[in-house]
DNA sequence: CTCTAGCTTCTCATATGATGGGACGCGGGT
DNA sequence: ACCCGCGTCCCATCATATGAGAAGCTAGAG
């Protein structure tokens, strides 16, 4: 947030500050008082106060009984409007549920935005340990199965474009660290028809994903199944992949994407 | 938006404008171009442009392929953080689902904020006509069953406080139009144990709701069942109410609210 | 009960930072 | 070819946000 802007970027100080406030409140587990907000953001009490009042007027923040601030429900409203267009989410949900009962592991639905993937839905099996991800949160493409699934099936130029923008942060010892390694991995992904994240984002977590293709056979999203490595073993991958392929095929049909079509289809067995 | 501010309100022009932009994009069904945004809000192209660029940097808006603007997924992220604290929603969902299969009508979960109710979840029966409500949207308290359900069980002073702030907009011919009429209605609600909205928000739509009570027996939310008046008939109300009461009791238990307790409990038969 | 500390709320003169006029360039339609 | 609408960009002007500081609150300690 406080770091230098890329270059000739447009700036509106007030907006940057306001969003910094929202960010801060969003990160914080507990509501914050005016003084804490002002201190954390290096704003004057006076300034922070004015911002918070305006944000409150817009219901972007609200005050708890003891006068502290937290995010307001207006944001919830906006958030829902924002995904509305992607009604993908609603349509996909039943399929995800089925997928979860079949695999007994957590399923995610994710979109690509810039060089990150954004989780727009998550279904957890009843008995599982709760996963850490939060709907709406994002991760870098290069270390997630969903990211690789989408990237692998994007037109080469678009994929290259995105890869160029990746910063290749290292998340675990297995995280893919170079563009070249990523390209190799994407080739493998294309060949086998599904993407795998083998503890590349988080130790002990293995995920597998396939893209959801639209009528033009372009990936618009991806569905993944994630679980602890000891349960999601290498041998189980092909079986899970088949469930996944069935699932995304169902989603595509529901979205009105070519129910016929060939390509990225069923059956994996290597 | 453009109307005069109540009184000695705090103002940050840039913020008000930015939110106006978001509002506009949120209302609009389709993405808007710079010129349209500028025109609708009476901003100069130049100004609108700067705002949109900054908003885009923050991922609050995004551009479609043809360069038009729409709400960005960052809002989705914020929205999810905003409701996170109310994990009520997650816990309530299974109960709402059961409620929907039992009643075959749409169920809503709503919170009270100021003098409005905000829908934080909605489950629809598979075969039903889609209802118009959107999760995250809000309605005035006085013309919704959820609003009345919460209001009726709030401590008298708090309720009076809220009633004072209601503007009593008329939505249909049956909308409650005065504070006095509302108080009478709330009495009825308390006596029968559930609230009814008989086409007061929308012609042809009948809803029935009961509050979700916390450990202090204070309403924190309400659950409603809504459907076309011809299906949700007067005779069916008590039966539906019983399903509702069972449902909220389940929610309360899951939230860790007194599983014992007495009060607002089962069985209605008038 | 009073005093103090830490917090929030409010006011106002100042200069910083947003503003909008306008120029430019692109693309699509006639 | 030309025009028109739209998005992008620059920069001098002044309206706007800014922050120092004073005044209010509230709660807890003495």
């Amino acid at each position: 947030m406080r770091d230098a802007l890329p270059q000739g970027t447009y700036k509106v100080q007030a907006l940057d500050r306001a969003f910094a406030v929202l960010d801060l409140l969003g990160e914080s587990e507990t509501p914050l008082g005016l003084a804490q907000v002002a201190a954390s953001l290096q704003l004057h009490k006076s300034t922070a106060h004015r911002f918070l009042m305006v944000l409150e007027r817009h219901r972007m923040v609200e005050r708890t009984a003891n006068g502290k601030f937290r995010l307001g429900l207006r944001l919830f409203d906006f958030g829902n409007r924002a995904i509305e267009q992607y009604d993908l989410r609603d349509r996909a949900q039943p399929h995800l549920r089925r997928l979860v009962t079949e695999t007994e592991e957590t399923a995610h639905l994710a979109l690509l935005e810039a060089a990150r993937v954004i989780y727009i839905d998550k279904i957890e099996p009843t008995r599982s340990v709760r996963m850490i991800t939060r709907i709406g949160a994002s991760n870098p493409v290069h270390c997630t199965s969903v990211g690789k699934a989408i990237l692998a099936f994007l037109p080469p130029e678009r994929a290259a474009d995105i890869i160029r923008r990746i910063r290749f942060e290292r998340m675990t010892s297995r995280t893919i660290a170079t563009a070249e390694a990523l390209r190799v991995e994407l080739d493998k992904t294309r060949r086998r028809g599904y993407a795998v994240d083998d503890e590349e984002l988080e130790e002990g977590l293995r995920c597998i994903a396939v893209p959801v293709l639209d009528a033009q056979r372009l990936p618009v999203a991806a569905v993944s199944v994630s679980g602890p490595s000891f349960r999601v073993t290498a041998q189980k991958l092909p079986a899970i992949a088949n469930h996944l392929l069935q699932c995304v095929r169902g989603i595509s049909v529901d979205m009105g994407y070519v129910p016929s079509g060939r390509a990225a289809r069923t059956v994996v067995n290597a």
Side-chain angles (χ1 to χ4, degrees), chain A residues 98-105 192-194 196 208-210 225 231-248 266-270:
Chain A
R98 190 160 42 78
L99 181 62
V100 171
T101 49
E102 287 165 355
T103 61
E104 293 276 299
E105 296 293 353
R192 75 182 153 214
Y194 59 89
V196 174
I208 159 171
V210 304
V225 165
R231 280 213 305 265
V232 180
T233 58
Q235 304 91 289
K236 286 194 197 158
L237 292 188
I240 298 178
N242 269 323
H243 285 304
L244 272 170
L245 287 164
Q246 236 181 284
C247 172
V248 299
T266 26
V267 186
V268 195
N269 55 0

Side-chain angles (χ1 to χ4, degrees), chain A residues 110-230:
Chain A
L111 292 178
L112 183 69
E113 197 195 56
R116 308 192 59 105
V117 288
I118 303 191
Y119 300 100
I120 63 168
D121 210 353
K122 165 173 81 162
I123 311 280
E124 303 186 296
T126 40
R127 80 308 186 18
S128 148
V129 270
R130 302 211 106 210
M131 286 196 59
I132 14 51
T133 45
R134 193 193 57 255
I135 293 183
S138 65
N139 272 324
V141 248
H142 70 285
C143 52
T144 56
S145 58
V146 278
K148 295 192 274 183
I150 296 177
L151 225 43
F153 292 93
L154 234 32
E157 333 77 65
R158 290 213 40 213
D161 230 55
I162 290 161
I163 293 174
R164 210 167 302 120
R165 279 188 285 167
I166 297 178
R167 295 227 317 279
F168 289 102
E169 304 168 62
R170 179 157 227 105
M171 313 298 282
T172 73
S173 60
R174 305 190 168 201
T175 305
I176 294 179
T178 70
E180 196 35 42
L182 180 55
R183 266 184 283 269
V184 171
E185 173 71 10
L186 293 181
D187 270 347
K188 264 165 77 180
T189 300
R190 259 185 302 272
R191 276 201 304 276
R192 75 182 153 214
Y194 59 89
V196 174
D197 151 19
D198 186 12
E199 311 198 354
E200 296 157 37
L201 173 65
E202 208 183 310
E203 301 286 354
L205 182 69
R206 199 173 279 152
C207 312
I208 159 171
V210 304
V212 178
L213 304 179
D214 67 11
Q216 288 84 57
R217 311 256 110 212
L218 289 176
V220 294
V223 175
S224 72
V225 165
S226 320
S229 306
F230 66 85

Side-chain angles (χ1 to χ4, degrees), chain A residues 38-63:
Chain A
S40 315
L41 297 168
Q42 322 233 58
L43 293 177
H44 267 255
K45 291 180 307 174
S46 168
T47 308
H49 182 248
R50 187 157 13 87
F51 274 93
L52 284 166
M53 296 314 269
V54 175
L55 289 172
E56 187 185 24
R57 180 155 51 76
H58 286 276
R59 296 178 31 232
M60 305 304 266
V61 307
E62 51 185 47
R63 310 194 74 160

